[in-house]
Amino acid sequence: MRLVLVGPPGSGKGTQGPVLAAHLGVPHLSTGDLLRAQVEAGTDLGHRVGEVIDRGELVPDDLMIAVVAAALGDGTAGGYVLDGFPRTVAQAEMLERGDSPLAAPDLAVHLAIPDAVVHERLARRARDEGRADDADPDIIDRRLQVYRDETAPLIDHYRDRGALVTVDGDAAPDEVSKRLLDAVASRR
Ligand code: AP5
Ligand code: MG
């Protein structure tokens, strides 16, 4: 199964993605983790994207598409769980083109949580882990705004294609995992 996770910052994409991938027996890719590793390693790509991430803005679509294609190779027909990609309608449409290097998803899972919970979770992570884009509440608000403007339109995009499930992510992690596995099982 090819599955993409769509949800605001802190909704649990990175927590739940590996759980779903292990359950489905497919690879998992977080584009945010991948980009942060490039920044950490000081690569050319890392230099290009570091400031964009710290401002809470999105990396340009054409760059992202190349990065994801390079990371997953051409073995994507067998399945994947993607966390953080596609993140714009343009990225989703790229996946649907005949010449896409990646196979299009079967299902988009919308992980929904209220903004107040986003702030609580990311403030906690800022204290525990020190992720730069969590440190400033104004940057968290910017990430939420970018989510609403650029990413949330994917919800209608996948709903129109009959390929959307929405899961309430505002619960303990194990409960959210259970909800996700139930939602995915109902669509297999
Ligand atoms: P990305 O890393 O994807 O950041 P994000 O979408 O803001 O999401 P987060 O990673 O903050 O949250 P999450 O949903 O993974 O939640 P998590 O499980 O960690 O992207 C970062 C940046 O990279 C973007 O801003 C952009 O610049 C760039 N980028 C990435 N992909 C891109 C793309 N395709 N195109 C363009 N640019 C791109 O949970 C959050 C916290 O809450 C954790 O501490 C966790 O332990 C805790 N938590 C999780 N679940 C629960 C729960 N149920 N109860 C309590 N706490 C919980
Ligand atoms: Mg994440």
Side-chain angles (χ1 to χ4, degrees):
M1 186 171 214
R2 295 184 298 271
L3 196 151
V4 297
L5 292 170
V6 179
S11 55
K13 302 183 297 295
T15 302
Q16 302 296 339
V19 175
L20 283 170
H23 179 79
L24 295 168
V26 298
H28 165 252
L29 178 70
S30 158
T31 46
D33 288 350
L34 184 155
L35 295 171
R36 281 184 293 277
Q38 296 285 319
V39 173
E40 187 71 21
T43 62
D44 280 351
L45 175 62
H47 286 297
R48 290 176 72 182
V49 303
E51 279 181 21
V52 176
I53 295 174
D54 288 353
R55 286 201 307 272
E57 307 289 339
L58 294 185
V59 173
D61 288 331
D62 51 348
L63 187 56
M64 276 320 298
I65 288 160
V67 165
V68 173
L72 285 176
D74 34 315
T76 55
Y80 54 64
V81 173
L82 296 182
D83 152 7
F85 184 93
R87 210 174 185 101
T88 62
V89 171
Q91 291 178 12
E93 286 174 343
M94 187 283 305
L95 285 175
E96 289 156 14
R97 285 208 308 256
D99 62 349
S100 168
L102 303 173
D106 306 304
L107 187 65
V109 179
H110 169 211
L111 206 44
I113 64 168
D115 288 2
V117 178
V118 171
H119 276 279
E120 267 170 45
R121 288 185 186 177
L122 299 190
R124 195 179 317 130
R125 188 171 62 189
R127 288 193 295 274
D128 296 348
E129 295 174 29
R131 203 174 115 176
D133 60 344
D134 292 338
D136 178 348
D138 289 344
I139 299 290
I140 296 175
D141 279 332
R142 181 65 194 141
R143 288 160 64 195
L144 277 167
Q145 190 61 47
V146 169
Y147 172 76
R148 274 189 278 274
D149 293 347
E150 303 283 335
T151 306
L154 287 174
I155 295 167
D156 282 342
H157 178 90
Y158 287 115
R159 188 186 288 119
D160 291 347
R161 285 158 180 71
L164 183 82
V165 291
T166 295
V167 169
D168 177 359
D170 186 12
D174 286 353
E175 171 60 21
V176 178
S177 297
K178 185 177 168 304
R179 291 176 187 176
L180 283 166
L181 293 173
D182 286 349
V184 170
S186 73
R187 299 297 297 259
R188 282 184 93 176

